[in-house]
Amino acid sequence: ETGVTQTPRHLVMGMTNKKSLKCEQHLGHNAMYWYKQSAKKPLELMFVYSLEERVENNSVPSRFSPECPNSSHLFLHLHTLQPEDSALYLCASSVATYSGEQYFGPGTRLTVT
Amino acid sequence: GIQVEQSPPDLILQEGANSTLRCNFSDSVNNLQWFHQNPWGQLINLFYIPSGTKQNGRLSATTVATERYSLLYISSSQTTDSGVYFCAVPGTQGGSEKLVFGKGTKLTVNP
């Protein structure tokens, strides 16, 4: 695997389910990011991690819970989501926080029913 | 916070045509990225270009940092070039430091 990978690519979940999104970067980067892209809206930055420490949390509801166990892996734990949370969730990484190019994974398209 | 504006918002071309996409930003920046978002949603890095000109095949980009704009040129367009093109710069928005994206240019290339 190269670059940034995300699993699953598609996810359908009910409002009472708990699921997790996984991101892995193979670039040796120290910063990782979660973004949300809703239909007809710009990308929204959700969380930023630098060397496994959260450095940014942009007023994201607590039903989204990030986890960064090491600098290569990032998770987004989901529980009791709402239909308006249906969106494309993108993971990205860069050498350091906001330094250098950001590389994006293919995304997880989430549908909440 | 920094503002990023892209034009045009929509562009329809016939295969083989050339096009120029523009990105204006409101403050000085130390880097700028161009991305292509394909129909499946993936953001593909095109250029990392704080200043000057770079070329990659049929695509090239020029950033004039002193005048706060960047241009993306697509020559001999192909149907696979369809998608949304974003530029993004690091800056502060809403009190937070982040990579600030423009709203994108949606390109449709017809056969």
Side-chain angles (χ1 to χ4, degrees):
Chain A
E1 293 280 13
T2 58
V4 182
T5 58
Q6 289 186 243
T7 55
R9 296 292 308 275
H10 299 271
L11 178 62
V12 179
M13 61 185 288
M15 293 167 60
T16 57
N17 292 159
K18 289 185 180 181
K19 297 285 185 183
S20 296
L21 310 185
K22 179 183 176 183
C23 174
E24 183 173 1
Q25 58 96 0
H26 310 265
L27 300 168
H29 289 166
N30 291 321
M32 296 187 77
Y33 312 80
W34 278 117
Y35 289 85
K36 175 185 177 183
Q37 188 179 33
S38 303
K40 302 189 186 299
K41 287 188 177 181
L43 269 77
E44 301 172 48
L45 180 63
M46 301 175 73
F47 300 104
V48 182
Y49 276 83
S50 176
L51 293 170
E52 302 129 53
E53 288 197 20
R54 190 191 306 180
V55 298
E56 194 78 43
N57 173 3
N58 289 275
S59 303
V60 179
S62 59
R63 57 186 182 270
F64 295 92
S65 175
E67 178 190 1
C68 188
N70 55 61
S71 59
S72 298
H73 293 86
L74 185 64
F75 294 89
L76 188 63
H77 303 300
L78 316 171
H79 63 99
T80 58
L81 294 191
Q82 304 298 312
E84 60 264 28
D85 296 322
S86 298
L88 180 68
Y89 289 85
L90 292 160
C91 172
S93 71
S94 61
V95 170
T97 315
Y98 306 116
S99 175
E101 281 187 86
Q102 280 194 25
Y103 291 86
F104 284 78
T108 295
R109 194 164 294 280
L110 172 68
T111 302
V112 181
T113 60
Chain B
I2 194 166
Q3 302 296 316
V4 180
E5 293 183 0
Q6 292 186 242
S7 60
D10 293 280
L11 186 58
I12 300 174
L13 301 175
Q14 286 300 119
E15 204 167 21
N18 303 329
S19 62
T20 301
L21 283 58
R22 187 177 181 101
C23 172
N24 293 334
F25 40 95
S26 61
D27 207 348
S28 57
V29 298
N30 57 16
N31 74 62
L32 183 143
Q33 289 188 247
W34 281 100
F35 297 92
H36 174 215
Q37 187 166 39
N38 65 24
W40 298 271
Q42 181 158 14
L43 278 167
I44 298 164
N45 290 44
L46 297 178
F47 294 101
Y48 176 72
I49 182 166
S51 63
T53 297
K54 290 186 177 180
Q55 179 140 17
N56 185 1
R58 296 181 295 102
L59 273 60
S60 65
T62 296
T63 296
V64 184
T66 54
E67 298 189 20
R68 300 179 185 172
Y69 73 88
S70 183
L71 302 174
L72 177 68
Y73 306 96
I74 304 173
S75 64
S76 304
S77 57
Q78 301 176 356
T79 55
T80 52
D81 295 330
S82 296
V84 183
Y85 290 79
F86 291 100
C87 66
V89 298
T92 302
Q93 202 174 62
S96 300
E97 190 179 353
K98 58 182 68 174
L99 192 63
V100 180
F101 286 77
K103 292 183 177 179
T105 292
K106 183 179 180 182
L107 174 65
T108 302
V109 181
N110 293 320

